Amino acid sequence: MNDTFLRACRGEEVEYTPVWLMRQAGRYLPEYQAVRSNVDFLTLCKNPKLAADVTLQPVDILGVDAAILFSDILIPVEAMGMRLEFSEKEGPVLSEPVRSKSAVEKLTIPDVEEDMPFVFDTIRILIKELENKVPLIGFAGAPFTLATYMIEGGTSKNFLHTKKLMFQYNQVFHYLMEKLTDSVISYLSAQIKAGAQAIQIFDTWAGILAPLDYKKFAFPYVRKAISELKKEGVPIIYFANNCAGILGELKKVGDDVLGIDWRIDISDAIKKLGKKIVVQGNLDPCALFLPKEKLEERVKEILWKGEAAKGHIFNLGHGILPQTPPENVAAMVEAVHTYGRKK
Ligand code: CP3
């Protein structure tokens, strides 16, 4: 197996800089669209054979150095008792948002194997099929990001409901975060037991908080989840979107790899984080719309700057956009493999 990605996660010597992409299986790929034309998104997530097939698509088509389980961060939210739908226009919709103590009380900590068997079946299929290829990354949403979806009922602009709960009923907010943290720990432990060789925790909305609120309301929970999951012995990646203002805290979160977005120069992030952590990122997803030479220049710059870190895994600074031309993505992967550090 090509374990370059796993070695880079551990900060070991690698022959070249490994690359994968957040949302690498998805709508920009015609092969994904073909599968999706017959099933809706949630059905696809819950069908282990199909979910495994689309997980493998970018590995075969692009030659990335890791596969990421095809699923969604909101699957365990449904297992905690909320009704989940995906609308083509609005994205995820949770029809009865959690905004009171009684609503939090009603949420259950899922029996993960029992309530989401398809996730672990997908992982078991993938481990067999990926044997001679690349490692499999499992994932979950970070407690804070999951809380925003549960409280807002979907995506939001100002996150007013979330912040009102935090500021006006902070005990209820903390109670919700405790339940989410327990769920995330048992969900990810089970993914690792089923075979996931690394895990990524997505904190898409970490950067909407003032640093002091991140420190108080989000950080303690993700740190707890990471310290528990460390016992499982696989590399842990924490992706914090819009991370620039909270790097001081992120340095202390305890993960092996920190995923950063593109709004900060990777050199500045590395300077602030120091030599103890591997960095993942951070090409602007829209850079995939640049002419090829310009795209290559940006790839080279990130690769070159990334060498200052303990280790570097190339990725985008957030998920790939559905409008992205697949040939540009292939060119990016090739550029990383061509120009990445060589020992
Ligand atoms: O990275 C991968 O290829 C693995 C699959 C994956 C999906 N979602 C598939 C998906 C992963 C890791 C996620 C994580 C996820 N889901 C996050 C965190 C990462 C991020 O992008 O910030 C979040 C916030 C979600 C919630 C979610 N799921 C939203 C807001 C949406 C709608 C917007 C969108 O991009 O479509 C989804 C839907 C979704 N999740 C799709 C896919 C492939 C599109 C569904 C479709 O086929 O129509």
Side-chain angles (χ1 to χ4, degrees):
M1 182 174 63
N2 166 5
D3 67 346
T4 311
F5 163 76
L6 291 177
R7 283 186 285 126
C9 286
R10 296 190 212 103
E12 295 169 15
E13 291 268 302
V14 284
E15 293 74 41
Y16 63 90
T17 306
V19 53
W20 68 279
L21 291 89
M22 288 186 277
R23 297 288 190 92
Q24 66 188 14
R27 284 168 299 182
Y28 72 104
L29 283 178
E31 293 83 353
Y32 173 81
Q33 300 275 20
V35 177
R36 261 286 269 121
S37 62
N38 303 313
V39 284
D40 66 72
F41 175 61
L42 273 178
T43 308
L44 175 51
C45 290
K46 293 175 185 177
N47 179 318
K49 170 78 181 76
L50 290 179
D53 284 351
V54 294
T55 302
L56 294 170
Q57 287 176 346
V59 177
D60 297 333
I61 298 164
L62 302 169
V64 287
D65 297 288
I68 180 159
L69 169 72
F70 189 83
S71 184
D72 197 85
I73 60 164
L74 298 174
I75 294 282
V77 168
E78 189 182 45
M80 289 176 81
M82 293 188 78
R83 192 175 325 130
L84 170 66
E85 279 167 314
F86 278 87
S87 106
E88 290 294 329
K89 278 208 203 96
E90 293 166 65
V93 181
L94 294 155
S95 46
E96 284 167 58
V98 173
R99 295 176 191 166
S100 65
K101 188 173 175 212
S102 64
V104 180
E105 268 161 1
K106 273 193 224 141
L107 297 169
T108 54
I109 309 288
D111 177 335
V112 291
E113 291 272 4
E114 180 94 355
D115 299 338
M116 297 172 277
F118 49 86
V119 171
F120 311 100
D121 290 341
T122 307
I123 294 176
R124 285 184 278 265
I125 295 175
L126 282 166
I127 292 305
K128 273 193 212 129
E129 299 198 358
L130 281 167
E131 206 182 9
N132 299 312
K133 293 181 180 166
V134 294
L136 177 69
I137 306 170
F139 73 89
F144 179 71
T145 286
L146 295 175
T148 67
Y149 282 100
M150 293 169 101
I151 300 165
E152 302 294 333
T155 306
S156 171
K157 201 166 167 211
N158 296 317
F159 297 91
L160 182 59
H161 293 294
T162 306
K163 292 188 184 181
K164 267 167 68 181
L165 200 69
M166 271 168 51
F167 295 153
Q168 297 176 350
Y169 302 96
N170 73 67
Q171 285 181 336
V172 178
F173 186 84
H174 284 297
Y175 181 28
L176 173 61
M177 290 294 282
E178 278 163 22
K179 279 199 164 175
L180 281 169
T181 305
D182 289 347
S183 300
V184 165
I185 294 168
S186 73
Y187 183 49
L188 286 175
S189 310
Q191 289 189 31
I192 297 166
K193 288 194 177 79
Q197 288 132 318
I199 53 170
Q200 173 153 320
I201 301 177
F202 285 88
D203 218 347
T204 305
W205 300 118
I208 63 147
L209 291 171
L212 85 169
D213 290 322
Y214 176 80
K215 191 173 177 177
K216 190 166 161 192
F217 293 103
F219 175 79
Y221 298 98
V222 71
R223 187 188 48 190
K224 181 181 175 202
I226 291 171
S227 81
E228 286 297 316
L229 291 162
K230 272 264 165 121
K231 297 172 192 158
E232 307 284 347
V234 308
I236 301 174
I237 310 168
Y238 177 48
F239 168 69
N241 193 22
N242 245 318
C243 66
I246 51 173
L247 283 173
E249 289 307 306
L250 296 177
K251 205 175 159 172
K252 296 181 271 185
V253 82
D255 51 344
D256 302 280
V257 182
L258 185 73
I260 60 171
D261 62 283
W262 70 93
R263 299 167 190 87
I264 183 166
D265 188 293
I266 189 170
S267 290
D268 293 342
I270 294 167
K271 265 185 223 134
K272 289 195 179 129
L273 291 165
K275 275 278 183 189
K276 285 200 181 128
I277 193 159
V278 173
V279 174
Q280 175 177 280
N282 75 337
L283 185 73
D284 180 348
C286 293
L288 291 167
F289 295 82
L290 282 165
K292 198 172 170 215
E293 310 81 74
K294 298 267 185 220
L295 170 61
E296 277 193 2
E297 271 171 31
R298 290 211 186 191
V299 168
K300 281 187 202 170
E301 188 182 332
I302 292 173
L303 284 167
W304 172 70
K305 290 181 171 174
E307 292 206 17
K310 178 185 180 187
H312 178 217
I313 295 159
F314 199 97
N315 205 314
L316 302 176
H318 200 177
I320 190 166
L321 299 167
Q323 300 85 350
T324 311
E327 58 276 19
N328 297 16
V329 186
M332 185 210 86
V333 171
E334 203 187 317
V336 176
H337 285 158
T338 308
Y339 302 113
R341 71 168 99 182
K342 293 219 171 57
K343 284 275 143 29

